[in-house]
Amino acid sequence: MEHIFLALRSPGPEFFQLGPFSLRWYGLLIAISVLLGLNLSGELALKKGLKKSLISDLLPILVLASVIGARIYYVAFEWRNYTGKNFWSSIYFLNLNIPIPSAIEIWGGGIAIHGALIMGTLSIVFFCRWRKEPFWDVIDVLVPSVALGQAIGRWGNFFNNEAFGIPTNLPWKLFIPFRFRPEIFSSQDYFHPTFLYESVWNIFVFGILIFLFKKANKRKLKLPSGSLSCLYLITYSLGRFWIEALRTDPLCLGGVPPFCEGGLRIAQLISLFLISAGLLGIWRIYISKKALPDPSLINERNQ
């Protein structure tokens, strides 16, 4: 007899519905993540010697840029699903079906965290340049909230029956309804709950970052500007690299899901780059004893 320790099954994507209005779990979880992140990063900013209001000023720009970046990144690597007969979609408004490009139909699903990190970082660069704030100090007080937000947000994948892994017979598993399964796995019922793996991993990353921040705040540990951000890049990417290998819906370069045969899993490639960047930053800070260059000041220094 098969021993089952944990069998997960999504109750559906909607938290509740009232007439034509519905609130989805994914949107609710993102809202919770943003609110928690605002409060946490604001408190860390005060301890870092920054103004707490700085985070509330930055947050709208950061969230908007991250969402746009996450969508652009996803569509760029899944362009085959947004061309030809799939190019157009529509929205129903005031008894009218209004045609829109399907690429902007973000509520239909399809975002990527690496796109959010790229565009979000760029928005922080411009914000710090505008406000004359130290880029790495700002990033350092944000990354714990990013890790926590990722841990919470991954549960949105659970409710949407997406971002799951390959079939498994382990005592912990995730039931996926037939209509959400890749055709190659249509006869399988249970899959790796990769959303859970990444959520737990991000809680672990969050715990490390907060622990080190508190130690540094008490003068028990030296954390130069940017070191916490480099550590986030390394730890998060290590987890993402191995979890991505289990997923059936990877973004592929030169291949197609679920295995990207003949190509590369983009998230794994980006993870290796981020691990290398983080290690290089740690080496510069602690071995070479040099401060990380502030990208928000580069042009000013060249003038």
Side-chain angles (χ1 to χ4, degrees), residues 198-263:
E198 191 163 341
S199 180
V200 172
W201 183 265
N202 283 320
I203 286 291
F204 169 72
V205 173
F206 168 73
I208 290 177
L209 297 178
I210 287 295
F211 174 78
L212 294 178
F213 187 96
K214 289 183 176 180
K215 285 288 185 181
N217 192 56
K218 295 178 180 179
R219 310 298 183 188
K220 295 181 179 181
L221 179 69
K222 185 177 180 182
L223 278 179
S225 296
S227 55
L228 206 65
S229 298
C230 290
L231 183 61
Y232 164 78
L233 293 180
I234 297 168
T235 52
Y236 167 68
S237 299
L238 282 171
R240 181 60 189 270
F241 183 85
W242 71 264
I243 293 170
E244 186 68 16
L246 296 173
R247 284 180 52 167
T248 58
D249 63 340
L251 297 180
C252 305
L253 181 63
V256 294
F259 300 115
C260 294
E261 293 180 359

Side-chain angles (χ1 to χ4, degrees), residues 10 58 63 77 94 97 101 114 146 156 167 177 181 189 208 232 244 259 277 281 284 292 299:
S10 170
L58 167 62
V63 171
F77 288 105
L94 297 178
N97 278 317
H114 284 134
V146 172
R181 302 172 195 167
D189 291 329
I208 290 177
Y232 164 78
E244 186 68 16
F259 300 115
R284 180 182 175 94
L292 295 176
N299 290 337

